[in-house]
Amino acid sequence: MVDGGDHIVLAEWKTVSNIIQRGGTVIGSARCKDFQTWEGRVKAAYNLLEKGITNLVCIGGDGSLTGANQFRLDWTKILEELVGAGKITADKANECAHLNIVGLVGSIDNDFCGTDMTIGADSALHRIIEAIDNIATTASSHQRCFVMEVMGRHCGYLALVAALASEADWVLIPEWPPEKGWEDVLCDKLSQERKMGQRLNIIIIAEGAIDSEGKAITPDYVKNLVSTKLNYDTRVTILGHVQRGGNPSAFDRILSCRMGAEAVLALMDATPDTPACVISLDGNQTVRVPLLECVARTKAVQKAMDEKDFHKAVELRGRSFQNNLDTYLHLAKIKPPKHALDGSIATRHPYNLAVMFVGAPACGMNAAARAFARIGLTEGYGVLAIHYGFEGLGHDDVAPMTWTEVQGWAGAGGARLKTTRVLPDKVGLDTVAAKLKKFNIHALLIIGGFEAFQSLLLLAENRDKYPEFCIPMIVIPATISNNVPGTDFSLGTDTSLNAIADICDRIKQSASGTKNRVFVIETMGGYCGYLATMSALAGGADAAYIFEEPFGITDLQGDVAHIAAKIKDGVKRGLILRANSANQNYTTEFIHALYNEEGKGLFSCRLNILGHVQQGGRPSPFDRNLGTKMASKCVETLIRQIEANKTAEGGVFTNTPDTATVLGLLKQRSQFTPVQELKSQADFVHRIPKENWWLKLRPLLRILAKHESTYEVDVWKEEFDDYEAEEKLQA
């Protein structure tokens, strides 16, 4: 802005075509010292006025957003100076009397208060976890300890979440310094884990880590500590700027699209009295919050740390950060009880928790099972693993879980407890009841997809016939289809979305040397169009065909003509996605043939059916973290319900609806919903919820693909429960 000239150009549709998958920033970024001066801001204002610009979206950290707000506050005086200097006319000043500012927070550190996630943080976590996963293999081979430094001079978010997702043995962050004597505690923990057979140790340090006295803790200090005191082969890895590189994750792409659209709506709404705002994420809701409040709160965190008020610093970071820290402290700092090491079921409490997988495999299942087992064991309960779901239960495939058994599960793909789609009524409810009694199971966690939801519903509805079903029971939704009622997100969907986005990137790149090509890609999901819709948004697709949004031959012909027009205008590639059960007649092969025929002479068409590659691979950081936190909540809830419903005979009996629930992430928070309440919200024929929040993003997908559509969003401001408005963006 300060330099002006060719640095400010008109963006056309083609300008931003095919950039959604690119890392970095195509328009460049800089820390401008000139803009910090009055003269620099006057130059910037003049350059904007030359182009008639009075609406500005600023993407950056708290420094950039603070500077943008100061620019807005100075605007009137700057105009007066420019008029007085004869650089602009009084009419021009009146015409451009107000500068509207909307901020989007782009920061890999996730250090801005007022939003759960900043643009870039999830992608940085992907880079960190990839590095840790790779290092873990060599560390295990050589029985080494690795000390890894990640970014975060003032915020420990990256280090904290990476520690949760990678099963790190220790994490050091600025907001929660270790207590005095932490060196001895750390060495005792590492020594104990080696005695238990663990072949590697990972210690993660945020670059701004400090001790309780405010003294910096460096990787070399920790390395020397471990090497000297334990004589372990210890290495240091500083990830540095590799965390900023690479392609953006699917989460970041979708987040950016949603925030960008909301920023445009905010500018359209702006009046001269509207304060500058930041588009933030609260749970699953995009929200507008006053910029100055967020900046002040962010600075208050640093002030609290400077004053050594670390509890306040964590509180100011927000609910999401605090939940991550609580879960980490619960999992990483606990010591395994003796019975957890030898597999015995003799515990402090004569009660057993059980866990099983039901449905198709989904990444994140193993992370949830690991957290469930370790927390349950620590609380003194027996934890039983039921292999192969209800089918395995019928065949007595049940075994106690040990502490060491689940080591490494957080980053493992597949389903370590094995899984089937068999429902309890197929095994026989009599058999299921008898087996629950035989193995003395007092609470049950079912991790899985729509089949898990159906299974729990069957058990809950037959409690009057089988007292064995009158125990606390919870479902954690885990399916790449994201088709379970009672939650906005399921375990596995984020990993699958990243796999699809990566494949779409590769497919588009394969056409870089060819002339005008359109790809038709089939995703999984069955009758649920979540994967097709969200991967289309993340991949910059031109259309996504799903069951929930009926389409016919006229729609298909219109889309063919639309892509043809875009290609004639200079766009070289097209991308079409289709959910595998979108329509029984308009199959993927039919759509491919239609595009191939209608595009003759203008573009060629290729077909790709992705198949089970969408279910494989290592879980993403999001799925590892979500599975861990959800399982932690489930253990706490099940234990509380056991304690509240003990019988005189030493058993557990409860038949209230709130003891047979689905744990879901709904809008701003996690929530337990009785499975019987969710029955009316489910379409059992097509195995999907009757209402889906993500359908509201379909018009955004159409708009970004240059279709005419109307985008409607629910906007929540400041007091989320008191304010709701609908706004429309016409294209």
Side-chain angles (χ1 to χ4, degrees):
M1 283 195 303
V2 175
D3 291 339
D6 294 338
H7 294 289
I8 303 176
V9 296
L10 181 66
E12 298 178 345
W13 201 271
K14 290 183 289 185
T15 309
V16 293
S17 178
N18 200 36
I19 68 169
I20 193 170
Q21 74 278 5
R22 291 172 60 180
T25 166
V26 295
I27 60 174
S29 180
R31 291 182 170 94
C32 181
K33 291 185 178 180
D34 288 344
F35 190 75
Q36 297 175 16
T37 67
W38 174 264
E39 293 76 15
R41 292 196 290 276
V42 171
K43 286 181 183 178
Y46 178 71
N47 292 328
L48 291 182
L49 291 169
E50 275 197 317
K51 304 287 185 179
I53 298 172
T54 56
N55 292 290
L56 192 62
V57 176
C58 178
I59 307 174
D62 61 333
S64 300
L65 299 180
T66 302
N69 188 66
Q70 186 61 48
F71 190 38
R72 177 179 179 274
L73 296 175
D74 292 340
W75 187 256
T76 302
K77 290 184 179 179
I78 290 174
L79 292 182
E80 292 173 357
E81 181 172 316
L82 290 173
V83 171
K87 291 188 175 182
I88 63 171
T89 64
D91 290 340
K92 184 70 172 178
N94 290 330
E95 181 186 338
C96 304
H98 303 286
L99 177 67
N100 299 314
I101 296 285
V102 174
L104 301 182
V105 191
S107 167
I108 69 165
D109 294 340
N110 200 29
D111 57 353
F112 192 81
C113 295
T115 183
D116 286 349
M117 285 293 283
T118 57
I119 297 170
D122 187 68
S123 299
L125 279 172
H126 276 257
R127 303 294 90 79
I128 295 169
I129 295 302
E130 286 165 10
I132 294 175
D133 287 347
N134 292 336
I135 281 175
T137 56
T138 182
S140 180
S141 299
H142 296 279
Q143 287 190 286
R144 284 178 176 152
C145 174
F146 270 84
V147 181
M148 304 188 65
E149 183 185 90
V150 302
M151 286 187 169
R153 283 195 305 273
H154 306 291
C155 179
Y157 175 84
L158 289 180
L160 179 58
V161 177
L164 271 176
S166 64
E167 300 184 22
D169 300 283
W170 203 271
V171 67
L172 295 160
I173 60 174
E175 294 91 342
W176 198 257
E179 298 174 356
K180 287 183 179 180
W182 64 272
E183 293 93 340
D184 293 334
V185 178
L186 168 62
C187 291
D188 288 345
K189 178 178 173 64
L190 298 183
S191 177
Q192 181 186 56
E193 287 171 345
R194 286 293 174 96
K195 290 176 183 176
M196 290 163 53
Q198 188 171 313
R199 293 180 58 85
L200 76 152
N201 299 106
I202 301 290
I203 301 169
I204 299 177
I205 304 179
E207 59 181 331
I210 55 175
D211 62 19
S212 57
E213 299 300 319
K215 181 182 176 183
I217 301 175
T218 66
D220 286 335
Y221 176 79
V222 178
K223 175 199 169 185
N224 293 333
L225 169 70
V226 176
S227 298
T228 303
K229 195 162 186 177
L230 298 177
N231 200 29
Y232 288 175
D233 184 3
T234 307
R235 306 295 172 92
V236 171
T237 299
I238 298 175
L239 294 185
H241 283 79
V242 71
Q243 298 161 83
R244 296 189 184 276
N247 293 342
S249 66
F251 182 94
D252 271 332
R253 300 183 197 191
I254 296 167
L255 177 65
S256 300
C257 289
R258 294 179 66 186
M259 285 187 166
E262 187 59 47
V264 175
L265 293 174
L267 288 174
M268 292 170 63
D269 283 347
T271 67
D273 299 323
T274 304
C277 71
V278 177
I279 307 302
S280 302
L281 186 73
D282 186 37
N284 189 31
Q285 294 287 301
T286 51
V287 300
R288 299 178 195 172
V289 289
L291 189 153
L292 285 181
E293 282 186 21
C294 294
V295 171
R297 189 172 167 187
T298 302
K299 291 180 178 178
V301 174
Q302 187 59 50
K303 182 182 177 185
M305 289 193 288
D306 292 340
E307 296 173 350
K308 298 183 175 57
D309 189 350
F310 299 109
H311 286 279
K312 184 177 181 181
V314 170
E315 183 182 337
L316 288 169
R317 282 285 180 219
R319 186 177 64 244
S320 178
F321 187 94
Q322 194 157 10
N323 287 342
N324 285 323
L325 180 60
D326 290 343
T327 304
Y328 168 76
L329 293 174
H330 204 170
L331 273 171
K333 298 298 178 71
I334 52 180
K335 290 185 177 180
K338 184 179 183 301
H339 70 268
L341 304 180
D342 58 19
S344 69
I345 57 174
T347 64
R348 293 201 310 268
H349 298 283
Y351 297 98
N352 291 319
L353 313 174
V355 57
M356 67 166 67
F357 297 163
V358 176
C363 286
M365 282 179 155
N366 297 324
R370 169 187 174 269
F372 182 81
R374 288 202 166 176
I375 296 175
L377 290 169
T378 304
E379 294 295 330
Y381 287 77
V383 180
L384 302 177
I386 303 173
H387 298 91
Y388 295 102
F390 286 100
E391 187 176 8
L393 180 63
H395 292 102
D396 291 345
D397 199 348
V398 181
M401 299 185 78
T402 66
W403 187 274
T404 55
E405 176 189 356
V406 296
Q407 176 66 34
W409 280 26
R416 290 291 177 92
L417 296 184
K418 313 303 180 186
T419 182
T420 67
R421 296 177 183 270
V422 177
L423 301 182
D425 58 343
K426 298 298 181 185
V427 176
L429 294 181
D430 290 336
T431 301
V432 172
K435 299 300 181 181
L436 290 175
K437 184 176 182 179
K438 176 181 177 180
F439 290 102
N440 202 26
I441 294 173
H442 301 98
L444 179 63
L445 175 65
I446 307 174
I447 304 173
F450 201 86
E451 295 89 352
F453 165 72
Q454 285 182 288
S455 298
L456 182 57
L457 183 60
L458 275 168
L459 299 181
E461 290 184 331
N462 285 278
R463 278 176 157 179
D464 57 335
K465 300 176 185 176
Y466 300 95
E468 294 82 3
F469 298 164
C470 296
I471 58 175
M473 299 179 288
I474 299 174
V475 165
I476 292 180
T479 166
I480 68 169
S481 301
N482 200 31
N483 62 337
V484 179
T487 187
D488 291 343
F489 295 103
S490 302
L491 289 181
T493 54
D494 185 71
T495 304
S496 186
L497 280 175
N498 279 286
I500 298 170
D502 182 59
I503 292 169
C504 288
D505 292 347
R506 293 168 185 262
I507 287 172
K508 288 193 292 183
Q509 190 181 51
S510 73
S512 60
T514 61
K515 184 181 179 182
N516 301 348
R517 180 161 288 175
V518 174
F519 295 94
V520 177
I521 299 174
E522 180 181 286
T523 70
M524 283 183 164
Y527 290 103
C528 183
Y530 177 85
L531 275 185
T533 297
M534 302 305 269
S535 55
L537 198 56
D542 297 277
Y545 301 120
I546 62 172
F547 171 78
E548 292 94 337
E549 194 173 274
F551 59 95
I553 191 64
T554 304
D555 301 303
L556 294 173
Q557 288 175 325
D559 289 343
V560 173
H562 181 73
I563 281 195
K566 287 175 70 175
I567 288 177
K568 286 178 182 177
D569 194 37
V571 175
K572 299 298 181 183
R573 289 178 294 280
L575 192 64
I576 306 295
L577 276 76
R578 177 187 177 275
N580 56 348
S581 296
N583 188 292
Q584 62 179 353
N585 296 313
Y586 299 124
T587 63
T588 306
E589 291 77 9
F590 174 88
I591 293 173
H592 167 248
L594 176 67
Y595 275 81
N596 222 11
E597 180 64 28
E598 297 298 319
K600 280 184 177 179
L602 185 59
F603 60 82
S604 59
C605 189
R606 296 291 185 270
L607 171 66
N608 293 269
I609 297 177
L610 302 186
H612 285 77
V613 69
Q614 299 160 83
Q615 283 185 337
R618 287 179 174 270
S620 68
F622 181 91
D623 279 329
R624 301 185 196 193
N625 191 21
L626 182 62
T628 299
K629 290 196 289 188
M630 292 183 97
S632 177
K633 264 187 189 304
C634 287
V635 176
E636 293 171 5
T637 300
L638 291 174
I639 289 176
R640 186 173 64 252
Q641 292 176 345
I642 286 175
E643 294 296 325
N645 295 284
K646 291 178 180 178
T647 63
E649 295 78 20
V652 175
F653 184 91
T654 177
N655 56 8
T656 57
D658 64 342
T659 57
T661 59
V662 172
L663 173 58
L665 186 65
L666 294 169
K667 292 186 177 178
Q668 288 117 353
R669 60 194 75 246
S670 55
Q671 180 176 315
F672 290 94
T673 308
V675 68
Q676 287 161 296
E677 284 184 18
L678 295 173
K679 183 177 181 180
S680 61
Q681 301 176 27
D683 176 351
F684 288 92
V685 175
H686 300 105
R687 295 158 47 84
I688 56 175
K690 291 180 180 177
E691 294 185 3
N692 291 289
W693 67 271
W694 50 266
L695 286 173
K696 293 182 179 181
L697 299 181
R698 296 277 301 172
L700 178 59
L701 169 63
R702 300 283 292 177
I703 291 170
L704 296 179
K706 210 176 180 179
H707 291 272
E708 291 188 359
S709 190
T710 300
Y711 177 47
E712 299 183 1
V713 294
D714 294 329
V715 182
W716 299 68
K717 299 181 182 178
E718 297 184 63
E719 297 297 327
F720 307 132
D721 296 328
D722 298 331
Y723 185 92
E724 181 176 7
E726 282 198 348
E727 301 186 2
K728 298 182 178 180
L729 174 61
Q730 296 283 350

